[in-house]
Amino acid sequence: MSEQLSVTIDGLTIPQLGFGTWQLEPADARRMVAEALRIGYRHIDTAWIYHNEAAVGDGIRDAIEAGHVAREDIWLTTKIWVAHFEHDALLRQAEESAASLGFTPDLLLLHWPKATPTFAETLGALNEAKDRGLTRAIGLSNFPSAEFRQAQSLSPARLITNQVEYHPYLSLKTLRATAAELGSSITAWSPLAQGQIADDPIIGEIARTHGKSNGQVTLRWLVQQGVVAIPRTQKPERAAENFDIWDFQLSDEEMARIHALARPDGRLGDWLDKDFRWDQE
Ligand SMILES: NC(=O)c1ccc[n+]([C@@H]2O[C@H](COP(=O)([O-])OP(=O)(O)OC[C@H]3O[C@@H](n4cnc5c(N)ncnc54)[C@H](OP(=O)(O)O)[C@@H]3O)[C@@H](O)[C@H]2O)c1
């Protein structure tokens, strides 16, 4: 097996394939996080609002105790929920998340943009969380380009990723360019379009050429763009399948054919506040 790919920003190395835990009940989160780390994943994604941070921490401890991985080899991300965006509440949640996980996270994200309190207050508190050692790095989730730029202009520390929905049915051209311009990165949530890619005939054709599955081709398409992807599954065999993407490459033409699948109605999870608007494409 070839080495897994990663992106490095300001000296911090983020493994490009992570394991997502949204909608995993605590018992499944613990079991699957431990299994993912055993398979070779080195990046775990959770959030306060998933109500599974403690179980994710238990899964990480299980894998460490079993000798599969060391803490310093894992990239661990969690997120500040929108109800905790005031200064004191944000710092309280940062402490609570670290306590629930039993580990200081590597990355703390603002889960969705919110007009009040001001970005200045929230970004100030997020930077303070970093300065107090409650996380190694900070970033955003679900911020359109204008708000991404505004947040970075208010943040002394670089916002090292913007975690957003991205898969073959969304273009994300503008936001990918914004992230590059800001020296940041894109992390793709719902990278498998919540399973929809499994039935795609074009992806299927490309997958057959490589002797791979539709899921593997989709994840390869993401990491080959320099994007971080965090697929989720509750099935150990699928976790292994999704991780097995390091031994093949898509051609420029295959990459372009998958990009061409983007469509205007491709978005699956639109919970953006009405104060904001997604980039046109
Ligand atoms: N920041 C945010 O606002 C935000 C929002 C949503 C998600 N996220 C993060 O992103 C992660 C991933 O997104 P997601 O969970 O929405 O969707 P996803 O990873 O695109 O899809 C998960 C679904 O696809 C199925 N699946 C997994 N591997 C597959 C494969 N190889 N072939 C076919 N189907 C497959 C899974 O079913 P089985 O379990 O049956 O395998 C599950 O139903 C989340 O877990 C979470 O960590 C973040």
Side-chain angles (χ1 to χ4, degrees), residues 22 45 141-142 163 190 192 232-235 238 242:
W22 181 41
D45 181 83
S141 182
N142 301 303
Q163 184 183 123
S190 293
L192 302 169
R232 179 238 333 173
T233 177
Q234 12 189 349
K235 302 189 175 85
R238 268 196 176 154
N242 292 344

Side-chain angles (χ1 to χ4, degrees), residues 9-10 12 14 75 107 137-139 158-162 183-185:
I9 299 176
D10 296 345
L12 297 166
I14 311 174
W75 183 266
L107 181 58
I138 55 176
R158 195 191 308 272
L159 301 165
I160 70 165
T161 206
N162 188 2
S184 185
S185 65

Side-chain angles (χ1 to χ4, degrees), residues 19-24 45-47 50 79 81 109-112 141-142 163-165 167 188-198 213-216 219 230-235 238-239 241-242 268 271:
F19 187 81
T21 65
W22 181 41
Q23 290 180 327
L24 293 185
D45 181 83
T46 184
Y50 301 170
K79 312 182 190 92
W81 185 238
L109 306 179
L110 299 179
H111 208 141
W112 286 86
S141 182
N142 301 303
Q163 184 183 123
V164 294
E165 180 179 345
H167 45 66
W189 63 253
S190 293
L192 302 169
Q194 296 172 11
Q196 285 185 21
I197 50 80
S213 71
N214 286 24
Q216 289 168 329
L219 295 169
I230 48 170
R232 179 238 333 173
T233 177
Q234 12 189 349
K235 302 189 175 85
R238 268 196 176 154
E241 174 190 329
N242 292 344
L268 298 171
W271 301 291

